[in-house]
Amino acid sequence: MHLFASLAAHGWHPAAWRLSGQPGFEGAAPFLRAAKTAERGGLDAVLVGLPSAARATRESGKVDGLHLDPLPLAGLLIGATRQIGLCGYWPADVAEPFHVARVFATLDHLSGGRTGWIAGLAGPAELAGRFQRADLAIGDADPTERFAELVDVARQLWDSWEDRGFAVDQSTGTFAESDHVHPIEHAGRFFAVRGPLNVPRPIQGQPVILHRDVPSGAARASAAASAEVVLAGPATIAEAKASRADWRSLAAKHGRAPEGLRYVARLMAVLEGTEAAALKRAAELDRLLDGADGSLPRFVGTPAQLAAHVAEWHAAGACDGFDVLPAVMSVDLELLVEGVVPALRKRGLVRASYEAATLRGHLSLQRAASRFAA
């Protein structure tokens, strides 16, 4: 079973910051603490930058959430960790393929092969009032077309260097082996990109590509061409099984091995030593919010109960792992690491320690080969 943790400054419950004793804005400090805690628990990866339920209300101007940019934050976490994977959210709506490819190739080299790109489309609701892009309104183009083209070009750029391309042979004066560095002359509907990339091939061949789940249909069919990890929020085992099977079937239609796609269920966790205490704390958080937040599936209970819950889903073939969103970061992440992970190890569902050096290794995904290699 694969296990991720999504990080947030105070926690994933929108009222986490209102709890007595919670500090104010601490910059990167809570993320550094959380990443180290997650690595101590042997988690596959931490995820940064995914939008939470906190929103700024235009009418009132009220702001109840701050979000550091995930890419420099991921760069900072590289220096604070040694083994855990680091995945950052960069929505394709506001991205350019050369920039994406260069940034994530750089992060992959700096981390020794531990990075993942959380892609997908943020959409107008998430970006409203923050970005204005004229090229997003080309004719009647479906935004998923632009998204698919962007991901494909980024992957071409990563592939433009074969492993043998970067030679740096002082004796012959050869910096790069031209036979193993490939030009990219892409002229598509949305992008015109010339390569090769000006960063050597990533340690993993390509960083792991994670997609947020999208409804079935053209958008999902398009995303299945590149998704290696799908982050989903199914409410039931039946829903998860059907969605996982659909994603894998669509991946196979793109000529991919369906078992190469990891379907990961997301849930917010409120944990305590007893179920009664967990229910009480969840009720207090909801009271501070003036109502429960229903944007994500939620689990309330003890670490042992959460271990049993995820084990049941995994045994049923509903998912390949879980992305746990600690309701209060300082409390629930610690209980995940100190309570849930040991219980899963006793069940033989997670490894005792890191066995690989890269995120692809943690996820049992093959290193990506260059499409241009002979």
Side-chain angles (χ1 to χ4, degrees):
M1 178 191 297
H2 301 295
L3 202 56
F4 302 160
S6 281
L7 306 187
H10 293 98
W12 279 85
H13 195 287
W17 65 276
R18 292 195 61 189
L19 292 177
S20 176
Q22 285 289 313
F25 178 63
E26 294 185 287
F31 295 94
L32 291 167
R33 291 193 297 266
K36 292 177 181 179
T37 298
E39 186 170 61
R40 173 162 50 86
L43 273 62
D44 291 303
V46 291
L47 281 52
V48 293
L50 281 165
S52 69
R55 290 287 184 269
T57 304
R58 284 186 175 184
E59 290 76 11
S60 66
K62 179 182 177 182
V63 176
D64 60 357
L66 297 174
H67 304 280
L68 298 181
D69 189 288
L71 301 179
L73 181 58
L76 179 67
L77 296 181
I78 288 172
T81 58
R82 293 292 178 268
Q83 296 171 293
I84 196 167
L86 304 167
C87 304
Y89 176 53
W90 194 348
D93 321 58
V94 292
E96 293 286 331
F98 198 96
H99 196 191
V100 167
R102 182 173 60 180
V103 167
F104 278 100
T106 299
L107 290 172
D108 208 55
H109 281 288
L110 296 178
S111 66
R114 296 188 285 129
T115 58
W117 171 28
I118 308 173
L121 293 168
E126 191 174 308
L127 300 177
R130 300 177 184 176
F131 297 93
Q132 182 64 43
R133 295 282 306 252
D135 62 326
L136 298 186
I138 297 178
D140 58 353
D142 187 325
T144 59
E145 295 178 21
R146 184 183 184 277
F147 169 61
E149 185 178 331
L150 185 148
V151 175
D152 180 64
V153 176
R155 297 178 71 195
Q156 287 186 55
L157 289 166
W158 288 324
D159 285 349
S160 64
W161 285 79
E162 294 181 44
D163 294 326
R164 292 183 290 170
F166 191 56
V168 193
D169 187 338
Q170 289 91 350
S171 63
T172 63
T174 303
F175 184 80
E177 292 282 359
S178 58
D179 290 344
H180 302 290
V181 183
H182 304 276
I184 303 295
E185 297 292 344
H186 176 83
R189 183 175 186 186
F190 298 94
F191 304 104
V193 179
R194 176 179 296 173
L197 194 64
N198 55 3
V199 179
R201 185 162 181 77
I203 300 295
Q204 299 181 98
Q206 295 182 10
V208 176
I209 296 179
L210 304 88
H211 284 336
R212 299 163 71 186
D213 194 13
V214 291
S216 58
R220 180 180 288 187
S222 175
S226 57
E228 295 175 290
V229 176
V230 173
L231 302 170
T236 66
I237 287 178
E239 179 186 340
K241 290 178 70 174
S243 181
R244 178 176 182 260
D246 188 45
W247 271 101
R248 289 193 161 192
S249 174
L250 291 169
K253 291 180 180 179
H254 287 284
R256 301 178 54 201
E259 62 273 12
L261 186 145
R262 306 284 179 263
Y263 184 85
V264 174
R266 307 184 78 209
L267 56 79
M268 184 171 67
V270 182
L271 302 173
E272 279 291 354
T274 66
E275 184 177 5
L279 290 168
K280 180 179 179 181
R281 190 157 68 86
E284 173 63 11
L285 286 165
D286 292 344
R287 185 187 66 78
L288 292 171
L289 183 64
D290 193 24
D293 170 44
S295 59
L296 278 169
R298 179 164 76 167
F299 180 88
V300 180
T302 69
Q305 288 173 330
L306 178 55
H309 173 79
V310 300
E312 179 187 6
W313 277 54
H314 189 263
C319 61
D320 302 292
F322 286 84
D323 174 27
V324 179
L325 288 64
V328 178
M329 193 61 52
S330 58
V331 176
D332 297 300
L333 181 60
E334 186 70 26
L335 288 170
L336 172 68
V337 166
E338 294 298 328
V340 179
V341 171
L344 292 175
R345 284 177 178 158
K346 288 182 179 179
R347 293 171 179 263
L349 291 177
V350 296
R351 59 177 178 269
S353 61
Y354 289 107
E355 299 170 355
T358 68
L359 177 56
R360 286 187 176 276
H362 300 338
L363 299 177
S364 300
L365 294 173
Q366 292 185 349
R367 185 177 185 274
S370 169
R371 69 186 68 191
F372 302 111

